[in-house]
Amino acid sequence: MPPPSSRLVSSAPRYQQVAEELQNAIARGDHPVGGLLPPEPQLCSQFGVSRHTLRDAVRILCDMGMLHRQQGVGTRIKRTQPQQRFVATLDSLGDLMQYTQETRLNFLGSRWLEVKPPLSEWLDCAPGERWLELDTYRAPLEEDTPLAHMKVYVRPECEGIVKDIRDGDGRAWIYGLIEQHGGEPILQVRQTVSAVAMPKESARVLHVKGGSPGLQVRRQYAGADRVLSISVNFYPLNLFEFMTTWRLREASPDPLG
């Protein structure tokens, strides 16, 4: 690969120029998918940049889903083109249902727990109540790159959900399973979106750095007079975004108070 410095004439910051050059090299096949990038000293010499600048360039390609850093191993090439962001347009419960059908739910495990604040507050229940926690992640139908790490909390009567998710084909629909096993309809879903530092457990599932910026999306599923379930979802900023349209309409009763 020829030295790129003579071709980096853009007014963009140096690390962005290096990132673009590396992206082009990967797209050409100079660095094959599954292999490792050359060592940092070699790349710094090739581009005539510091380690700090090179690492910023590599970070950009990691955020684009093209590279993945492996501690003690190196930086591995994952794909030749940037990963497309998954956009969920959630204007109604119907849109939420459609989103679940466009992704695959993968089961990681489950456990019983006695809930404590703030979880008990989100569930609108007394501290110490026994709920079932499901550990899952969602991925696009066509690949296994995790889009979201999701913890789902359900009442004891919904224990059968574990088998449905664990033994299913990945098309499990949490909304429908809660109604099926809980024996009462969901009348409202309330969604709360927060900017967070990615928890270590979710970071491992999503292949991102612990403490990196992320989104927490908490959904409360309510029946006529109680919360039936909540899901707590963590999304990496580089792979997911929400789109919501607000419309004026006649107010309806709010089972969540």
Side-chain angles (χ1 to χ4, degrees), residues 175-194:
Y175 184 109
L177 291 176
I178 293 169
E179 291 190 330
Q180 175 185 333
H181 291 276
E184 61 180 293
I186 291 172
L187 302 180
Q188 179 172 300
V189 180
R190 172 175 290 172
Q191 178 170 276
T192 304
V193 181
S194 307

Side-chain angles (χ1 to χ4, degrees), residues 111-249:
R111 62 171 181 156
W112 290 99
L113 73 163
E114 294 182 357
V115 298
K116 302 176 182 179
L119 182 57
S120 59
E121 297 168 3
W122 297 346
L123 292 168
D124 194 24
C125 71
E129 283 193 17
R130 189 167 178 260
W131 286 66
L132 179 63
E133 177 192 79
L134 309 176
D135 190 12
T136 68
Y137 71 90
R138 283 200 176 276
L141 293 177
E142 68 278 4
E143 58 180 281
D144 198 38
T145 301
L147 289 171
H149 180 217
M150 179 170 67
K151 294 288 186 74
V152 182
Y153 301 87
V154 297
R155 293 180 177 275
E157 58 264 33
C158 293
E159 183 178 4
I161 286 179
V162 173
K163 185 177 187 302
D164 289 337
I165 297 176
R166 184 187 60 213
D167 301 338
D169 62 359
R171 299 296 188 96
W173 177 26
I174 293 294
Y175 184 109
L177 291 176
I178 293 169
E179 291 190 330
Q180 175 185 333
H181 291 276
E184 61 180 293
I186 291 172
L187 302 180
Q188 179 172 300
V189 180
R190 172 175 290 172
Q191 178 170 276
T192 304
V193 181
S194 307
V196 295
M198 190 67 70
K200 290 183 178 179
E201 181 182 6
S202 297
R204 287 194 298 269
V205 173
L206 298 171
H207 308 305
V208 298
K209 185 178 180 180
S212 61
L215 291 177
Q216 177 187 274
V217 179
R218 187 174 73 249
R219 298 191 184 105
Q220 293 172 307
Y221 297 85
D225 56 7
R226 64 175 184 165
V227 173
L228 303 176
S229 173
I230 68 166
S231 65
V232 183
N233 309 262
F234 292 94
Y235 297 87
L237 290 181
N238 58 305
L239 294 183
F240 200 92
E241 65 183 38
F242 286 99
M243 183 181 300
T244 303
T245 301
W246 301 90
R247 298 185 180 93
L248 291 175
R249 62 182 177 87

Side-chain angles (χ1 to χ4, degrees), residues 14-30:
R14 186 72 167 191
Y15 69 90
Q16 290 184 359
Q17 298 176 21
V18 174
E20 181 177 357
E21 190 68 23
L22 274 174
Q23 180 180 349
N24 292 337
I26 293 170
R28 289 195 304 267
D30 296 349

Side-chain angles (χ1 to χ4, degrees), residues 15 50-52 67 70 74 87 105 124 138 166 176 205 232:
Y15 69 90
S50 67
R51 287 191 177 217
H52 178 77
L67 301 177
Q70 293 180 278
V87 180
L105 187 65
D124 194 24
R138 283 200 176 276
R166 184 187 60 213
V205 173
V232 183

